[in-house]
Amino acid sequence: MITKQITKINWYENAEKIFIATDCIIFGFDEGILKLLVFERLVNPLKGELSLIGSFVKPNETAPQAAHRVLKEITGLDNIFMEELKTYTEVDRDSGARCISIGQYALIRIDEYDKELVKKHGALWYEVDKLPKLVLDHNKMVEDALNRLRRKSKFYPIGIELLPKNFTIPQLQNLYEVIHQKKLDSRNFRKKLLSLKLLIPLNKKDMSGSKKGAFLYKFDYKKYKKLEENGFNFSLFK
Amino acid sequence: MITKQITKINWYENAEKIFIATDCIIFGFDEGILKLLVFERLVNPLKGELSLIGSFVKPNETAPQAAHRVLKEITGLDNIFMEELKTYTEVDRDSGARCISIGQYALIRIDEYDKELVKKHGALWYEVDKLPKLVLDHNKMVEDALNRLRRKSKFYPIGIELLPKNFTIPQLQNLYEVIHQKKLDSRNFRKKLLSLKLLIPLNKKDMSGSKKGAFLYKFDYKKYKKLEENGFNFSLFK
DNA sequence: CCAAAAGTGTTCGTCGTACACCCATGA
DNA sequence: TCATGGGTGTACGACGAACACTTTTGG
């Protein structure tokens, strides 16, 4: 027993600990434009430079917990859609110290977040295709997250997370067109979408987008979940 | 400048370093069975128990480098297909110390690895559906990796990495049937596969699987790469 | 000669795609 | 009344799915 304990101590003593951070790639969809929430650093190091919102992972929390903690702090939102992207482990990615980062991308509903809080923390929305230089490897993280968003939204209804809970079909089409940088035929889009029977009609119109107004729907998450378990693919175009 | 330096030091001093490991979920395909390479621990801690093959990430290497290092050590192989799966960051996942792990799954060609080396390191192949209890959260890692393999192999030709470089169409079909736990129609499978024009015929037969023998092919990686850049999906069934 | 796996074509239905007009409304 | 975006139907082609028999050869 004593031997085992000693060996165990040696086992860990042979290794070196490393700083571990998590960075959030936060997307929002505002007036037909895909945007990213970045952060003007209020403190050193790198004060004044732009970066993703991140944090060290603390000894008593998991990486997702750390990410949700900072997201809550800055947007006021719980229950944000967030998913691990990948780790960034280059030896010299952070000149200050050896530090690996777990990239996590988040999709937030632009009508829900706390605008005061965001402003207070020096966070700003940038259009994804007009991004400034960010610190360290953060631009690469954004690029990776965009690719993931594009690929994943082809087969999973994660785009819905970027729209208000009640949304119209033209809004969703517009979102898909922006994400995939491609015009879609509205008749085919609508037909395919409705054939999935995953939208619950609210029989109310949203009048903000046009004079005629467009019917509002909400997504049937429960039904989708059941379908997904049987290998169903949510795909709206090829 | 001095101020900045001091602030910077404080920035990192507020954080705590953590042990960081990487674990490899190594799949192989042998005689129609999907297998996993596990490791009987030769040293403490947990001597004698079964685990995935892993290592701490050293101060001077990235996580993929660490994974390739241990894979080379144990199988003798370079250039193994390997991809990050996800991180495992539960606070108490390792009772010995706070330690997060980056799971990476690997696909190896069962005809290529160094059997002597593997034996020497106490590594053993287990059928994936007859897995024993592994240490820590390693069974969860395997489950996650299997799900990834199933999903990803539907749209990307990663299954090829599990077959010898020269393989037959029935071999590939068999692999797909095993991965996706589903019988496929050989006529439709063959037709679809050949229509992609991604197999280079070798005009040689493999006689090991039947009396008649089956023609050998190799995969046209170059051609696939070009197609993939244009959004092409390698998919052999629904 | 026979068992066992490899290889080959056709039919049918579904789904993706292309395409043009009317509707409702606020200004 | 007109400009703007919302909503609807049809025809065609491609592709996935179902399905049965012949070929080869080692034993």
Side-chain angles (χ1 to χ4, degrees):
Chain A
M1 202 57 215
I2 290 171
T3 325
K4 184 167 182 183
Q5 195 55 28
I6 289 169
T7 326
K8 197 165 183 176
I9 288 167
N10 288 341
W11 171 260
Y12 289 108
E13 275 184 354
N14 283 336
E16 267 190 54
K17 293 184 178 183
I18 292 176
F19 286 115
I20 167 139
T22 184
D23 288 295
C24 303
I25 302 100
I26 306 170
F27 293 107
F29 183 63
D30 190 20
E31 315 214 346
I33 298 172
L34 192 60
K35 295 184 178 176
L36 188 80
L37 192 59
V38 301
F39 189 65
E40 192 170 340
R41 292 173 77 114
L42 302 176
V43 294
N44 274 318
L46 303 172
K47 182 171 174 177
E49 294 201 49
L50 295 166
S51 81
L52 296 174
I53 286 149
S55 166
F56 286 109
V57 175
K58 297 184 179 176
N60 62 342
E61 67 183 358
T62 65
Q65 282 165 0
H68 281 291
R69 171 172 54 74
V70 292
L71 267 185
K72 169 87 179 181
E73 207 176 303
I74 284 167
T75 66
L77 297 175
D78 289 316
N79 301 324
I80 291 179
F81 174 93
M82 178 178 294
E83 207 174 66
E84 183 173 332
L85 181 60
K86 69 186 282 288
T87 59
Y88 294 82
T89 68
E90 288 297 319
V91 172
D92 54 2
R93 57 176 290 282
D94 186 335
S95 59
R98 177 75 203 274
C99 174
I100 77 161
S101 175
I102 301 174
Q104 313 205 54
Y105 73 102
L107 306 179
I108 84 174
R109 304 187 203 275
I110 213 115
D111 61 323
E112 289 185 355
Y113 74 91
D114 184 327
K115 294 177 176 52
E116 286 308 310
L117 259 184
V118 164
K119 193 183 289 181
K120 193 179 105 189
H121 284 90
L124 299 164
W125 289 102
Y126 278 84
E127 305 187 16
V128 289
D129 45 11
K130 291 179 186 166
L131 270 194
K133 169 81 184 83
L134 308 176
V135 300
L136 310 183
D137 47 8
H138 288 193
N139 287 88
K140 173 76 168 106
M141 291 185 187
V142 175
E143 190 192 323
D144 292 340
L146 258 174
N147 285 332
R148 173 76 65 93
L149 175 61
R150 294 201 169 110
R151 207 151 5 94
K152 183 135 187 166
S153 63
K154 263 192 164 172
F155 301 110
Y156 298 87
I158 59 173
I160 307 280
E161 307 294 328
L162 287 164
L163 295 179
K165 284 199 174 126
N166 300 340
F167 59 88
T168 69
I169 293 178
Q171 271 174 9
L172 185 61
Q173 181 180 341
N174 182 220
L175 173 65
Y176 268 76
E177 290 178 338
V178 169
I179 291 180
H180 296 99
Q181 302 166 297
K182 173 196 281 201
K183 267 270 164 218
L184 299 173
D185 182 282
S186 69
R187 291 159 292 190
N188 294 336
F189 184 85
R190 175 182 298 268
K191 193 181 350 151
K192 173 76 191 187
L193 178 59
L194 291 174
S195 77
L196 302 177
K197 310 212 184 232
L198 284 168
L199 296 192
I200 301 169
L202 299 173
N203 301 313
K204 276 189 302 182
K205 280 195 169 184
D206 169 81
M207 304 304 292
S208 66
S210 71
K211 292 159 187 169
K212 186 179 178 182
F215 280 106
L216 286 162
Y217 297 84
K218 60 179 183 177
F219 187 69
D220 194 337
Y221 282 97
K222 280 182 196 163
K223 194 166 172 190
Y224 170 71
K225 209 166 184 180
K226 274 185 207 158
L227 290 174
E228 197 204 13
E229 284 165 10
N230 301 320
F232 169 81
N233 262 342
F234 181 91
S235 133
L236 297 178
F237 66 97
K238 253 202 173 169
Chain B
M1 203 58 216
I2 289 171
T3 325
K4 186 167 182 183
Q5 196 55 25
I6 288 169
T7 325
K8 198 166 184 175
I9 287 167
N10 288 341
W11 171 258
Y12 290 108
E13 275 184 352
N14 283 336
E16 268 189 51
K17 293 184 178 182
I18 293 177
F19 285 115
I20 167 139
T22 183
D23 289 295
C24 303
I25 302 100
I26 305 169
F27 293 107
F29 184 64
D30 189 20
E31 316 215 346
I33 298 171
L34 192 59
K35 295 183 177 176
L36 188 80
L37 193 59
V38 302
F39 189 64
E40 192 172 339
R41 292 173 77 114
L42 303 176
V43 295
N44 275 316
L46 303 172
K47 182 171 173 178
E49 295 201 47
L50 295 166
S51 81
L52 296 174
I53 287 149
S55 166
F56 286 109
V57 176
K58 297 184 178 175
N60 63 341
E61 67 182 359
T62 66
Q65 281 165 0
H68 280 290
R69 171 172 54 74
V70 293
L71 267 185
K72 169 85 178 181
E73 208 176 303
I74 285 166
T75 66
L77 297 176
D78 288 317
N79 301 324
I80 290 179
F81 174 94
M82 177 178 294
E83 206 175 68
E84 183 173 332
L85 181 60
K86 69 186 282 290
T87 59
Y88 294 83
T89 68
E90 288 298 320
V91 172
D92 53 2
R93 57 176 290 281
D94 185 337
S95 57
R98 177 77 202 272
C99 175
I100 77 160
S101 175
I102 302 173
Q104 314 205 52
Y105 73 103
L107 306 179
I108 83 174
R109 304 187 203 276
I110 212 112
D111 61 323
E112 289 186 355
Y113 73 91
D114 184 329
K115 293 174 178 54
E116 286 307 311
L117 259 184
V118 164
K119 194 184 287 182
K120 193 179 105 191
H121 284 91
L124 301 163
W125 289 101
Y126 278 85
E127 304 188 18
V128 289
D129 44 12
K130 291 178 187 166
L131 269 194
K133 170 80 184 83
L134 307 176
V135 300
L136 310 183
D137 47 8
H138 288 193
N139 287 89
K140 174 77 167 105
M141 292 185 186
V142 175
E143 191 192 322
D144 291 341
L146 258 174
N147 284 332
R148 173 76 68 92
L149 176 60
R150 296 204 167 108
R151 207 153 3 96
K152 183 135 187 167
S153 62
K154 263 192 165 171
F155 301 110
Y156 299 88
I158 59 173
I160 307 280
E161 307 293 328
L162 286 164
L163 294 179
K165 283 195 175 131
N166 300 340
F167 59 88
T168 69
I169 293 179
Q171 272 174 6
L172 185 61
Q173 182 180 339
N174 182 219
L175 174 64
Y176 269 76
E177 290 179 338
V178 168
I179 291 180
H180 295 99
Q181 302 166 298
K182 171 196 282 200
K183 267 270 163 218
L184 298 173
D185 182 281
S186 68
R187 292 158 292 188
N188 292 336
F189 184 85
R190 178 182 297 269
K191 191 177 358 148
K192 173 74 191 190
L193 178 59
L194 291 174
S195 77
L196 302 177
K197 308 210 186 239
L198 284 169
L199 297 192
I200 302 169
L202 300 173
N203 300 314
K204 277 189 301 182
K205 280 196 170 184
D206 169 80
M207 303 304 293
S208 66
S210 70
K211 292 159 187 170
K212 187 180 179 183
F215 280 107
L216 285 162
Y217 296 85
K218 59 179 185 178
F219 187 69
D220 194 336
Y221 283 97
K222 279 183 197 163
K223 193 166 172 191
Y224 170 71
K225 207 167 184 179
K226 273 184 207 157
L227 290 173
E228 196 204 13
E229 283 165 10
N230 301 320
F232 169 82
N233 263 342
F234 182 91
S235 129
L236 296 178
F237 67 97
K238 252 203 173 166

